[in-house]
Amino acid sequence: MTRVLAALLLLSLTACTSPEAPPMKADGPAPQESPERLYGEFVARLARADGPGVCALFTPSGRVAFQDEWGVAQCDLGVTEAAGGVGDPAAFAAKAPDSTIRDSETVVEMSGCGVGAMKALSAPEGWLIDAYLHPDAVDGC
């Protein structure tokens, strides 16, 4: 009995002192600390064809816009379609936005050739993509 209690105490102390953040649900939001970080996460996850990871970067309305732009019924399917156009995953993952427009402290529009255009919104928990346009809709590409 004493060994069991000692083992449970050790496990609880290990869990409490772990430096890792608690995992997020794959389908839950994955807000970022800045719009630039959000864009970087989007292209990095898209380059890996990480459907749940990409879809977690969207608000519900942003997810619908992404699905509409790729003509699919589910966000993961849109990621599959979009990732199909990624030639060199490492080069694609390193893409920075070609254009950034700060409308306010809480709304930033970013776009990039081959990536698409997106509107990022700031919420108390961080930045998420709230609108998306297909890469063909990006001006100057």
Side-chain angles (χ1 to χ4, degrees), residues 92-108:
F92 188 85
K95 282 185 175 278
D98 295 331
S99 169
T100 301
I101 300 169
R102 291 188 177 273
D103 292 335
S104 70
E105 291 295 314
T106 59
V107 179
V108 175

Side-chain angles (χ1 to χ4, degrees), residues 18-51:
S18 174
E20 295 178 23
M24 297 190 91
K25 294 181 349 185
D27 61 347
Q32 302 298 313
E33 65 271 6
S34 72
E36 293 78 17
R37 174 79 177 158
L38 177 63
Y39 186 93
E41 279 298 307
F42 176 80
V43 296
R45 293 175 186 197
L46 187 61
R48 294 190 308 262
D50 175 5

Side-chain angles (χ1 to χ4, degrees), residues 2-3 31 36 55 59 62-63 70 78 82 84 93-94 112 125 129-130 132 136 139 141:
T2 306
R3 286 183 183 176
E36 293 78 17
C55 296
T59 65
R63 194 177 289 195
W70 288 99
E125 62 275 1
I129 300 167
D130 191 55
Y132 179 83
D136 293 344
D139 290 337
C141 293

